[in-house]
Amino acid sequence: MTSSSAPTVRENGTGTPLVLLHAFPLPARMWEVQLERVPGPAGDDARVIAPDQRGFGTAPLGDLPPSLDTAADDLADLLDGLGVERAVLGGLSMGGYVAMAFARRHPERLAGLVLADTKATTDTDAARANRERVAAAVLERGSVDLLIEERMAENLLAPGTDPELTDAVRKMIAEADPAAVAWAQRAMAARPDSLDELAALEVPAAVIVGELDTVTPLSEARMMAEALSDAELTVIPAVGHLSSLEAPETFNAAVRALLKRVK
Ligand code: MLT
């Protein structure tokens, strides 16, 4: 069980429950366009649910040690609270890692899977060391300023992206709590390889990736799509890591196509 209180949840529409899990270190607000449009013109194609994950947005961090399993169990508790037995689960980047942890721990509750700009492989030693450097630095400084610059430099968004979107992303990162940033970095560093779990899943899946994503590149997306038994891969041209924000129409179309395949 978890020791944090229930996270804030944004919700819209009726129909197949679709839970969208945000990237690091953004809040659930990053899913605004999906919340508005994925339910469709009559609003009854999907019940889109976008929770702030532990420590982000308005969700309390709690006092459990860093672990993506804890984040996955938070989600199971959330579904219990909403009266949802099974859901399509979608995650972008860190959200995808949590979705894979959920698939490992609660496979019977999974109706379908969207893995966007994420990967099933583990961190290299260098990536783990870098996460610990960032965790220690933000805690010591009590500020995420360094993270804003480092993340934007990683081509979160494709070169030439609308400056308004770039500004909106910077603002969302700036809102992150240093303690949550450190917690999430340490949780992500400890994640296991999930390719075997993906291979064991029988639910339909959509794998989505921005063609210019350098954080979780196309090669990783291909590996996940090949491991899954029933996956469709969508590569979004001229788009970086945050594909749902940069190309919402193409992203939403891939998600809506998956919803049609879900029983
Ligand atoms: C994210 O966007 O959630 C992060 O890039 C995930 C990561 O740091 O591996």
Side-chain angles (χ1 to χ4, degrees):
M1 291 309 293
T2 61
S3 69
S4 88
S5 55
T8 300
V9 182
R10 289 159 189 261
E11 214 188 307
N12 187 37
T14 56
T16 308
L18 166 70
V19 181
L20 294 176
L21 298 169
H22 60 79
F24 166 87
L26 306 179
R29 199 165 88 238
M30 70 168 266
W31 295 116
E32 257 167 12
V33 180
Q34 283 70 36
L35 277 159
E36 189 193 314
R37 301 200 198 145
V38 172
D44 58 359
D45 292 339
R47 175 183 178 189
V48 182
I49 301 162
D52 279 322
Q53 298 181 76
R54 188 176 278 261
F56 295 95
T58 55
L61 181 59
D63 54 10
L64 293 180
S67 164
L68 295 180
D69 289 350
T70 299
D73 292 353
D74 286 343
L75 183 55
D77 290 348
L78 171 74
L79 293 181
D80 289 346
L82 294 173
V84 174
E85 185 49 43
R86 287 177 84 228
V88 177
L89 200 51
L92 192 141
S93 202
M94 179 181 78
Y97 306 157
V98 175
M100 287 182 257
F102 185 90
R104 190 162 43 244
R105 293 171 74 79
H106 308 280
E108 71 291 348
R109 305 195 69 169
L110 200 63
L113 191 59
V114 180
L115 294 173
D117 302 283
T118 190
K119 57 186 174 189
T121 55
T122 56
D123 281 351
T124 60
D125 287 347
R128 261 185 227 114
N130 189 50
R131 290 193 194 280
E132 188 48 42
R133 176 189 64 79
V134 172
V138 295
L139 287 177
E140 192 193 317
R141 296 175 193 195
S143 154
V144 298
D145 285 358
L146 131 160
L147 187 65
I148 303 174
E149 297 320 319
E150 292 192 7
R151 288 251 69 190
M152 297 313 287
E154 282 174 328
N155 291 341
L156 278 193
L157 301 164
T161 300
D162 173 8
E164 265 184 43
L165 177 58
T166 307
D167 198 43
V169 169
R170 292 181 79 96
K171 284 199 177 111
M172 283 193 273
I173 298 176
E175 286 167 20
D177 170 20
V181 164
W183 193 95
Q185 285 285 30
R186 289 169 175 157
M188 289 191 282
R191 74 186 192 283
D193 187 289
S194 294
L195 283 169
D196 286 349
E197 277 80 10
L198 293 187
L201 289 179
E202 287 171 5
V203 296
V207 178
I208 305 172
V209 65
E211 181 190 24
L212 305 179
D213 186 347
T214 52
V215 181
T216 49
L218 176 57
S219 54
E220 295 282 349
R222 283 214 172 96
M223 250 188 272
M224 294 187 294
E226 278 162 21
L228 286 155
S229 64
D230 180 12
E232 283 182 5
L233 173 65
T234 301
V235 183
I236 309 185
V239 156
H241 184 57
L242 297 178
S243 64
S244 60
L245 288 164
E246 286 184 85
E249 296 309 332
T250 314
F251 187 97
N252 293 354
V255 172
R256 288 173 55 80
L258 170 71
L259 290 171
K260 291 206 177 84
R261 290 160 54 215
V262 169
K263 297 190 186 76

